[in-house]
Short mmCIF file of all heavy atoms in Angstrom, two decimals:
data_model
loop_
_atom_site.label_atom_id
_atom_site.label_comp_id
_atom_site.label_asym_id
_atom_site.label_seq_id
_atom_site.Cartn_x
_atom_site.Cartn_y
_atom_site.Cartn_z
N MET A 1 126.62 103.55 -5.24
CA MET A 1 127.20 102.54 -4.43
C MET A 1 128.71 102.79 -4.10
O MET A 1 129.34 103.14 -5.18
CB MET A 1 127.04 101.20 -5.11
CG MET A 1 127.71 99.99 -4.31
SD MET A 1 127.17 98.33 -4.85
CE MET A 1 128.11 98.35 -6.44
N GLN A 2 129.26 102.73 -2.96
CA GLN A 2 130.69 102.96 -2.70
C GLN A 2 131.23 101.49 -2.51
O GLN A 2 130.60 100.54 -2.09
CB GLN A 2 130.68 103.64 -1.33
CG GLN A 2 132.10 103.95 -1.04
CD GLN A 2 132.19 104.74 0.22
OE1 GLN A 2 131.39 105.66 0.51
NE2 GLN A 2 133.46 104.80 0.90
N MET A 3 132.43 101.33 -2.89
CA MET A 3 133.12 100.12 -2.82
C MET A 3 134.35 100.24 -1.83
O MET A 3 134.93 101.31 -1.82
CB MET A 3 133.86 99.72 -4.18
CG MET A 3 132.74 99.40 -5.26
SD MET A 3 131.71 97.99 -4.84
CE MET A 3 132.95 96.56 -4.87
N VAL A 4 134.56 99.21 -1.13
CA VAL A 4 135.75 99.24 -0.18
C VAL A 4 136.36 97.69 -0.16
O VAL A 4 135.60 96.83 -0.41
CB VAL A 4 135.38 99.56 1.23
CG1 VAL A 4 134.42 98.57 1.83
CG2 VAL A 4 136.54 99.79 2.14
N GLN A 5 137.67 97.73 -0.03
CA GLN A 5 138.31 96.44 0.11
C GLN A 5 139.01 96.35 1.53
O GLN A 5 139.75 97.32 1.94
CB GLN A 5 139.30 96.22 -1.03
CG GLN A 5 140.05 94.87 -1.01
CD GLN A 5 141.02 94.70 -2.14
OE1 GLN A 5 142.04 95.24 -2.12
NE2 GLN A 5 140.55 93.97 -3.12
N PHE A 6 138.75 95.21 2.15
CA PHE A 6 139.38 94.99 3.52
C PHE A 6 140.24 93.85 3.32
O PHE A 6 140.05 92.80 2.61
CB PHE A 6 138.30 94.64 4.54
CG PHE A 6 137.14 95.58 4.74
CD1 PHE A 6 135.91 95.29 4.64
CD2 PHE A 6 137.65 96.96 5.45
CE1 PHE A 6 134.89 96.33 4.96
CE2 PHE A 6 136.64 97.73 5.64
CZ PHE A 6 135.34 97.59 5.45
N LYS A 7 141.34 93.96 4.04
CA LYS A 7 142.36 92.79 4.28
C LYS A 7 141.89 92.18 5.58
O LYS A 7 141.70 92.73 6.72
CB LYS A 7 143.72 93.36 4.41
CG LYS A 7 144.75 92.29 4.65
CD LYS A 7 144.98 91.36 3.53
CE LYS A 7 146.14 90.41 3.93
NZ LYS A 7 146.08 89.28 3.00
N ILE A 8 141.41 90.90 5.54
CA ILE A 8 140.95 90.21 6.73
C ILE A 8 141.86 89.22 7.22
O ILE A 8 142.54 88.35 6.46
CB ILE A 8 139.62 89.37 6.28
CG1 ILE A 8 138.64 90.28 5.53
CG2 ILE A 8 139.06 88.77 7.52
CD1 ILE A 8 137.79 91.06 6.38
N ASP A 9 142.23 89.32 8.57
CA ASP A 9 143.26 88.32 9.07
C ASP A 9 142.39 87.14 9.92
O ASP A 9 141.45 87.48 10.50
CB ASP A 9 144.09 89.03 10.08
CG ASP A 9 145.34 88.25 10.64
OD1 ASP A 9 145.79 87.38 9.78
OD2 ASP A 9 145.79 88.43 11.65
N GLY A 10 142.91 85.95 9.69
CA GLY A 10 142.39 84.92 10.39
C GLY A 10 141.51 83.92 9.57
O GLY A 10 141.11 82.85 10.11
N MET A 11 141.34 84.17 8.27
CA MET A 11 140.53 83.27 7.43
C MET A 11 141.58 82.19 6.98
O MET A 11 142.67 82.36 6.46
CB MET A 11 140.09 84.03 6.21
CG MET A 11 138.87 85.00 6.42
SD MET A 11 138.06 85.45 4.96
CE MET A 11 139.35 86.23 4.07
N THR A 12 141.19 80.95 7.18
CA THR A 12 141.99 79.83 6.79
C THR A 12 141.26 78.88 5.88
O THR A 12 141.92 77.92 5.37
CB THR A 12 142.39 78.94 8.06
OG1 THR A 12 141.28 78.61 8.76
CG2 THR A 12 143.29 80.01 8.99
N CYS A 13 140.09 79.02 5.55
CA CYS A 13 139.25 78.08 4.64
C CYS A 13 138.09 78.70 4.16
O CYS A 13 137.77 79.89 4.44
CB CYS A 13 138.89 76.90 5.54
SG CYS A 13 137.80 77.19 6.82
N GLU A 14 137.32 78.04 3.15
CA GLU A 14 136.06 78.45 2.62
C GLU A 14 135.10 78.76 3.63
O GLU A 14 134.29 79.72 3.50
CB GLU A 14 135.70 77.44 1.50
CG GLU A 14 136.29 77.64 0.14
CD GLU A 14 136.02 79.06 -0.47
OE1 GLU A 14 135.04 79.67 -0.30
OE2 GLU A 14 136.89 79.55 -0.99
N GLY A 15 135.15 77.93 4.77
CA GLY A 15 134.21 78.19 5.76
C GLY A 15 134.25 79.57 6.36
O GLY A 15 133.33 80.27 6.63
N CYS A 16 135.60 79.92 6.56
CA CYS A 16 135.84 81.33 7.21
C CYS A 16 135.29 82.42 6.20
O CYS A 16 134.77 83.33 6.58
CB CYS A 16 137.33 81.36 7.33
SG CYS A 16 138.13 80.41 8.62
N ALA A 17 135.51 82.23 4.82
CA ALA A 17 135.16 83.12 3.83
C ALA A 17 133.61 83.19 3.83
O ALA A 17 133.06 84.31 3.77
CB ALA A 17 135.66 82.85 2.51
N ARG A 18 132.92 82.12 4.11
CA ARG A 18 131.43 82.16 4.15
C ARG A 18 130.98 82.83 5.32
O ARG A 18 129.91 83.58 5.37
CB ARG A 18 130.93 80.73 4.06
CG ARG A 18 130.93 80.19 2.68
CD ARG A 18 130.01 78.79 2.51
NE ARG A 18 130.69 77.82 3.43
CZ ARG A 18 131.59 76.89 3.07
NH1 ARG A 18 132.12 76.98 1.87
NH2 ARG A 18 131.98 75.93 3.89
N SER A 19 131.76 82.62 6.41
CA SER A 19 131.36 83.31 7.67
C SER A 19 131.50 84.89 7.57
O SER A 19 130.66 85.72 8.05
CB SER A 19 132.22 82.99 8.92
OG SER A 19 131.88 81.63 9.20
N VAL A 20 132.47 85.29 6.93
CA VAL A 20 132.87 86.76 6.61
C VAL A 20 131.68 87.29 5.73
O VAL A 20 131.19 88.40 5.91
CB VAL A 20 134.13 87.10 6.16
CG1 VAL A 20 134.28 88.43 5.80
CG2 VAL A 20 135.31 86.72 7.22
N THR A 21 131.41 86.54 4.69
CA THR A 21 130.41 87.02 3.60
C THR A 21 129.13 87.00 4.37
O THR A 21 128.45 88.13 4.14
CB THR A 21 130.27 85.89 2.58
OG1 THR A 21 131.46 85.79 1.86
CG2 THR A 21 129.23 86.23 1.59
N SER A 22 128.73 86.08 5.20
CA SER A 22 127.37 86.17 5.82
C SER A 22 127.25 87.47 6.86
O SER A 22 126.33 88.08 6.85
CB SER A 22 127.14 84.88 6.59
OG SER A 22 126.99 83.83 5.77
N ALA A 23 128.48 87.69 7.58
CA ALA A 23 128.36 88.76 8.32
C ALA A 23 128.20 90.12 7.66
O ALA A 23 127.49 91.02 8.11
CB ALA A 23 129.72 88.76 9.25
N LEU A 24 128.91 90.15 6.51
CA LEU A 24 128.78 91.54 5.72
C LEU A 24 127.55 91.64 5.07
O LEU A 24 126.85 92.65 5.10
CB LEU A 24 129.95 91.52 4.71
CG LEU A 24 131.33 91.76 5.19
CD1 LEU A 24 132.44 91.61 4.28
CD2 LEU A 24 131.42 93.33 5.82
N GLN A 25 126.99 90.45 4.61
CA GLN A 25 125.72 90.50 4.01
C GLN A 25 124.57 90.79 4.89
O GLN A 25 123.58 91.36 4.42
CB GLN A 25 125.36 89.20 3.16
CG GLN A 25 126.19 89.04 1.90
CD GLN A 25 125.96 87.72 1.34
OE1 GLN A 25 125.68 86.70 1.85
NE2 GLN A 25 126.23 87.61 -0.14
N GLY A 26 124.73 90.58 6.13
CA GLY A 26 123.73 90.82 7.08
C GLY A 26 123.80 92.29 7.60
O GLY A 26 122.84 92.79 8.28
N SER A 27 124.64 93.00 7.10
CA SER A 27 124.65 94.49 7.48
C SER A 27 123.77 95.24 6.54
O SER A 27 123.74 95.12 5.39
CB SER A 27 126.09 94.99 7.32
OG SER A 27 127.06 94.38 8.18
N PRO A 28 122.99 96.21 7.16
CA PRO A 28 122.13 97.08 6.26
C PRO A 28 122.90 97.80 5.25
O PRO A 28 124.07 98.26 5.63
CB PRO A 28 121.56 97.98 7.31
CG PRO A 28 121.75 97.39 8.68
CD PRO A 28 123.07 96.54 8.58
N GLY A 29 122.36 97.88 4.17
CA GLY A 29 123.04 98.78 3.01
C GLY A 29 124.06 98.00 2.19
O GLY A 29 124.51 98.64 1.26
N VAL A 30 124.50 96.75 2.53
CA VAL A 30 125.36 96.05 1.91
C VAL A 30 124.81 95.49 0.46
O VAL A 30 123.70 94.83 0.61
CB VAL A 30 126.05 95.00 2.58
CG1 VAL A 30 126.89 94.15 1.68
CG2 VAL A 30 126.92 95.45 3.69
N GLU A 31 125.34 95.78 -0.56
CA GLU A 31 124.71 95.41 -1.99
C GLU A 31 125.55 94.31 -2.60
O GLU A 31 125.00 93.30 -3.16
CB GLU A 31 124.70 96.58 -2.78
CG GLU A 31 123.78 97.63 -2.29
CD GLU A 31 123.78 98.86 -3.08
OE1 GLU A 31 124.41 98.95 -4.21
OE2 GLU A 31 123.17 99.92 -2.58
N THR A 32 126.95 94.28 -2.39
CA THR A 32 127.64 93.13 -2.98
C THR A 32 128.79 92.77 -1.98
O THR A 32 129.40 93.66 -1.27
CB THR A 32 128.34 93.50 -4.34
OG1 THR A 32 129.24 94.66 -4.11
CG2 THR A 32 127.27 93.90 -5.30
N VAL A 33 129.07 91.48 -2.02
CA VAL A 33 130.16 91.00 -1.15
C VAL A 33 130.95 89.83 -1.94
O VAL A 33 130.27 89.05 -2.54
CB VAL A 33 129.74 90.37 0.21
CG1 VAL A 33 130.95 89.74 0.92
CG2 VAL A 33 128.95 91.45 0.94
N ALA A 34 132.31 89.97 -2.04
CA ALA A 34 133.22 89.00 -2.70
C ALA A 34 134.28 88.81 -1.71
O ALA A 34 135.01 89.72 -1.57
CB ALA A 34 133.69 89.36 -4.05
N VAL A 35 134.54 87.59 -1.10
CA VAL A 35 135.52 87.17 -0.11
C VAL A 35 136.38 86.03 -0.63
O VAL A 35 135.82 85.16 -1.15
CB VAL A 35 134.86 86.77 1.18
CG1 VAL A 35 135.97 86.55 2.27
CG2 VAL A 35 133.96 87.99 1.83
N ASN A 36 137.65 86.34 -0.52
CA ASN A 36 138.60 85.35 -1.02
C ASN A 36 139.57 85.01 0.17
O ASN A 36 140.31 85.69 0.56
CB ASN A 36 139.41 85.85 -2.27
CG ASN A 36 140.31 84.73 -2.77
OD1 ASN A 36 141.05 84.02 -2.09
ND2 ASN A 36 140.48 84.83 -4.15
N PHE A 37 139.40 83.73 0.72
CA PHE A 37 140.24 83.35 1.85
C PHE A 37 141.75 83.28 1.52
O PHE A 37 142.63 83.58 2.24
CB PHE A 37 139.70 82.11 2.64
CG PHE A 37 140.26 80.86 2.07
CD1 PHE A 37 141.36 80.24 2.38
CD2 PHE A 37 139.46 80.11 0.99
CE1 PHE A 37 141.86 79.09 1.91
CE2 PHE A 37 139.91 79.09 0.42
CZ PHE A 37 141.04 78.48 0.94
N ALA A 38 142.01 82.81 0.26
CA ALA A 38 143.41 82.58 -0.16
C ALA A 38 144.24 83.98 -0.13
O ALA A 38 145.29 84.13 0.36
CB ALA A 38 143.48 82.06 -1.53
N THR A 39 143.66 85.05 -0.57
CA THR A 39 144.25 86.34 -0.70
C THR A 39 143.90 87.10 0.64
O THR A 39 144.58 88.09 1.01
CB THR A 39 143.70 87.17 -1.80
OG1 THR A 39 142.29 87.42 -1.63
CG2 THR A 39 143.99 86.58 -3.08
N GLY A 40 142.88 86.69 1.39
CA GLY A 40 142.47 87.50 2.61
C GLY A 40 141.84 88.76 2.46
O GLY A 40 141.69 89.62 3.22
N LEU A 41 141.25 88.88 1.21
CA LEU A 41 140.56 90.11 0.83
C LEU A 41 139.11 89.91 0.79
O LEU A 41 138.60 88.93 0.38
CB LEU A 41 141.04 90.50 -0.52
CG LEU A 41 142.55 90.98 -0.59
CD1 LEU A 41 142.97 91.26 -1.97
CD2 LEU A 41 142.87 92.07 0.42
N ALA A 42 138.37 91.01 1.16
CA ALA A 42 136.93 91.17 1.03
C ALA A 42 136.59 92.43 0.35
O ALA A 42 137.02 93.57 0.71
CB ALA A 42 136.37 91.18 2.42
N ASP A 43 135.92 92.23 -0.82
CA ASP A 43 135.45 93.53 -1.56
C ASP A 43 134.02 93.63 -1.19
O ASP A 43 133.11 92.65 -1.34
CB ASP A 43 135.62 93.31 -3.08
CG ASP A 43 137.17 93.23 -3.44
OD1 ASP A 43 137.80 94.12 -3.07
OD2 ASP A 43 137.45 92.20 -4.01
N VAL A 44 133.55 94.99 -0.90
CA VAL A 44 132.30 95.14 -0.38
C VAL A 44 131.70 96.35 -1.12
O VAL A 44 132.42 97.38 -1.14
CB VAL A 44 132.14 95.37 1.10
CG1 VAL A 44 130.67 95.52 1.68
CG2 VAL A 44 132.88 94.30 1.87
N GLY A 45 130.57 96.33 -1.75
CA GLY A 45 129.79 97.29 -2.29
C GLY A 45 128.71 97.72 -1.44
O GLY A 45 127.87 96.83 -0.92
N PHE A 46 128.43 98.97 -1.02
CA PHE A 46 127.46 99.22 -0.05
C PHE A 46 126.95 100.72 -0.39
O PHE A 46 127.58 101.55 -1.01
CB PHE A 46 128.01 99.20 1.41
CG PHE A 46 129.07 100.22 1.70
CD1 PHE A 46 128.77 101.43 2.24
CD2 PHE A 46 130.44 100.00 1.37
CE1 PHE A 46 129.85 102.37 2.53
CE2 PHE A 46 131.42 100.93 1.58
CZ PHE A 46 131.25 102.09 2.24
N ASN A 47 125.79 100.81 0.26
CA ASN A 47 125.03 102.15 0.07
C ASN A 47 125.51 102.97 1.24
O ASN A 47 125.16 102.65 2.57
CB ASN A 47 123.48 101.98 0.24
CG ASN A 47 122.74 103.31 0.08
OD1 ASN A 47 123.19 104.36 0.39
ND2 ASN A 47 121.49 103.13 -0.43
N GLU A 48 126.19 104.04 0.97
CA GLU A 48 126.89 104.83 2.09
C GLU A 48 125.78 105.73 2.90
O GLU A 48 126.16 106.10 3.95
CB GLU A 48 127.89 105.77 1.56
CG GLU A 48 127.52 106.75 0.46
CD GLU A 48 127.56 106.22 -1.01
OE1 GLU A 48 127.69 105.02 -1.15
OE2 GLU A 48 127.45 107.01 -1.82
N SER A 49 124.59 105.71 2.43
CA SER A 49 123.51 106.48 3.22
C SER A 49 122.91 105.54 4.27
O SER A 49 122.19 105.98 5.17
CB SER A 49 122.55 106.95 2.41
OG SER A 49 121.69 105.89 1.80
N LEU A 50 123.30 104.13 4.15
CA LEU A 50 122.60 103.23 5.12
C LEU A 50 123.74 102.51 5.97
O LEU A 50 123.32 102.02 7.12
CB LEU A 50 122.07 102.08 4.39
CG LEU A 50 120.81 102.50 3.52
CD1 LEU A 50 120.23 101.36 2.77
CD2 LEU A 50 119.65 103.10 4.40
N THR A 51 124.98 102.68 5.72
CA THR A 51 126.03 102.09 6.56
C THR A 51 127.35 102.84 6.28
O THR A 51 127.45 103.72 5.45
CB THR A 51 126.19 100.58 6.26
OG1 THR A 51 126.98 99.99 7.46
CG2 THR A 51 126.83 100.21 5.02
N ASN A 52 128.38 102.53 7.05
CA ASN A 52 129.70 103.04 6.84
C ASN A 52 130.83 101.99 7.00
O ASN A 52 130.48 100.90 7.48
CB ASN A 52 129.90 104.28 7.66
CG ASN A 52 129.76 103.98 9.32
OD1 ASN A 52 130.32 102.97 9.74
ND2 ASN A 52 128.96 104.67 9.95
N ILE A 53 132.04 102.46 6.78
CA ILE A 53 133.14 101.54 6.67
C ILE A 53 133.37 100.92 8.24
O ILE A 53 133.58 99.85 8.46
CB ILE A 53 134.36 102.14 6.31
CG1 ILE A 53 134.24 102.36 4.73
CG2 ILE A 53 135.68 101.34 6.39
CD1 ILE A 53 135.27 103.05 4.04
N ASP A 54 133.22 101.80 9.24
CA ASP A 54 133.38 101.41 10.50
C ASP A 54 132.37 100.27 11.02
O ASP A 54 132.76 99.30 11.72
CB ASP A 54 133.24 102.57 11.58
CG ASP A 54 134.48 103.46 11.51
OD1 ASP A 54 135.53 102.92 10.99
OD2 ASP A 54 134.43 104.62 11.89
N SER A 55 131.23 100.42 10.57
CA SER A 55 130.15 99.49 10.86
C SER A 55 130.42 98.03 10.19
O SER A 55 130.22 97.02 10.73
CB SER A 55 128.71 99.94 10.36
OG SER A 55 128.31 100.96 11.11
N LEU A 56 130.88 98.15 8.97
CA LEU A 56 131.26 96.94 8.23
C LEU A 56 132.46 96.18 8.81
O LEU A 56 132.50 94.93 9.00
CB LEU A 56 131.62 97.23 6.82
CG LEU A 56 130.45 97.90 6.00
CD1 LEU A 56 130.97 98.22 4.52
CD2 LEU A 56 129.33 96.94 5.76
N LYS A 57 133.43 97.02 9.34
CA LYS A 57 134.61 96.52 10.02
C LYS A 57 134.01 95.76 11.36
O LYS A 57 134.53 94.71 11.68
CB LYS A 57 135.55 97.49 10.40
CG LYS A 57 136.41 97.99 9.23
CD LYS A 57 137.37 99.09 9.70
CE LYS A 57 138.26 99.59 8.54
NZ LYS A 57 139.21 100.61 8.98
N ALA A 58 133.18 96.42 12.03
CA ALA A 58 132.60 95.87 13.34
C ALA A 58 131.93 94.54 13.08
O ALA A 58 131.90 93.57 13.90
CB ALA A 58 131.60 96.98 13.98
N ALA A 59 131.09 94.41 11.90
CA ALA A 59 130.55 93.20 11.53
C ALA A 59 131.51 92.14 11.30
O ALA A 59 131.26 90.94 11.89
CB ALA A 59 129.65 93.41 10.24
N VAL A 60 132.61 92.37 10.63
CA VAL A 60 133.71 91.34 10.41
C VAL A 60 134.27 90.90 11.81
O VAL A 60 134.44 89.76 12.06
CB VAL A 60 134.72 91.85 9.44
CG1 VAL A 60 135.83 90.90 9.30
CG2 VAL A 60 134.19 92.09 8.07
N GLU A 61 134.54 91.83 12.71
CA GLU A 61 135.20 91.61 13.83
C GLU A 61 134.20 90.87 14.77
O GLU A 61 134.59 89.96 15.57
CB GLU A 61 135.52 92.94 14.51
CG GLU A 61 136.79 93.48 13.73
CD GLU A 61 137.26 94.83 14.16
OE1 GLU A 61 136.52 95.40 14.93
OE2 GLU A 61 138.28 95.31 13.59
N ALA A 62 132.93 91.23 14.71
CA ALA A 62 131.89 90.42 15.53
C ALA A 62 131.89 88.92 15.03
O ALA A 62 131.53 88.00 15.89
CB ALA A 62 130.53 91.03 15.33
N ALA A 63 132.22 88.54 13.77
CA ALA A 63 132.27 87.27 13.28
C ALA A 63 133.58 86.53 13.75
O ALA A 63 133.59 85.27 13.43
CB ALA A 63 132.00 87.23 11.73
N GLY A 64 134.52 87.18 14.33
CA GLY A 64 135.57 86.52 14.87
C GLY A 64 136.87 86.75 14.03
O GLY A 64 137.87 86.01 14.21
N PHE A 65 136.87 87.71 13.15
CA PHE A 65 138.01 88.01 12.35
C PHE A 65 138.60 89.38 12.46
O PHE A 65 137.79 90.24 13.05
CB PHE A 65 137.68 87.79 10.84
CG PHE A 65 137.25 86.27 10.61
CD1 PHE A 65 135.90 86.06 10.64
CD2 PHE A 65 138.02 85.28 10.35
CE1 PHE A 65 135.41 84.67 10.43
CE2 PHE A 65 137.63 83.94 10.07
CZ PHE A 65 136.28 83.65 10.21
N ASP A 66 139.71 89.63 12.07
CA ASP A 66 140.33 90.99 12.21
C ASP A 66 140.40 91.60 10.91
O ASP A 66 140.85 91.03 9.94
CB ASP A 66 141.77 90.84 12.80
CG ASP A 66 141.70 90.22 14.39
OD1 ASP A 66 140.88 90.82 15.18
OD2 ASP A 66 142.58 89.49 14.58
N VAL A 67 140.18 93.00 10.86
CA VAL A 67 140.37 93.71 9.72
C VAL A 67 141.79 94.42 9.88
O VAL A 67 141.86 95.17 10.84
CB VAL A 67 139.15 94.80 9.58
CG1 VAL A 67 139.58 95.67 8.31
CG2 VAL A 67 137.92 94.12 9.43
N VAL A 68 142.58 94.26 8.94
CA VAL A 68 143.95 94.85 9.15
C VAL A 68 144.07 96.04 8.37
O VAL A 68 143.53 96.26 7.39
CB VAL A 68 145.01 93.82 8.51
CG1 VAL A 68 146.37 94.20 8.70
CG2 VAL A 68 144.82 92.40 9.00
#
């Protein structure tokens, strides 16, 4: 499992963090997700044979948030 941390812009509440979590969990190969709106960070564990960092960023952006 590979780990990556994203700085997410635009999260202002727990609802935003849940939206980002759902978007990431819906991506194939994602094994763990921890999102903290207060720090703006998302920690993601994923299977690199099933997805990649660009796909994970795209999932966050499709949910309406920016990866900085």
Side-chain angles (χ1 to χ4, degrees):
M1 178 171 66
Q2 184 174 336
M3 295 295 295
V4 67
Q5 184 176 73
F6 295 123
K7 176 70 174 163
I8 312 270
D9 193 30
M11 290 192 299
T12 58
C13 64
E14 274 298 321
C16 295
R18 282 192 297 273
S19 294
V20 171
T21 299
S22 293
L24 288 166
Q25 286 176 334
S27 299
V30 171
E31 297 176 7
T32 63
V33 178
V35 179
N36 184 320
F37 84 89
T39 62
L41 297 176
D43 295 307
V44 185
F46 64 98
N47 182 331
E48 60 272 15
S49 67
L50 298 176
T51 192
N52 58 50
I53 291 173
D54 289 336
S55 294
L56 298 174
K57 286 181 182 179
V60 172
E61 290 169 355
F65 301 92
D66 295 317
V67 179
V68 187

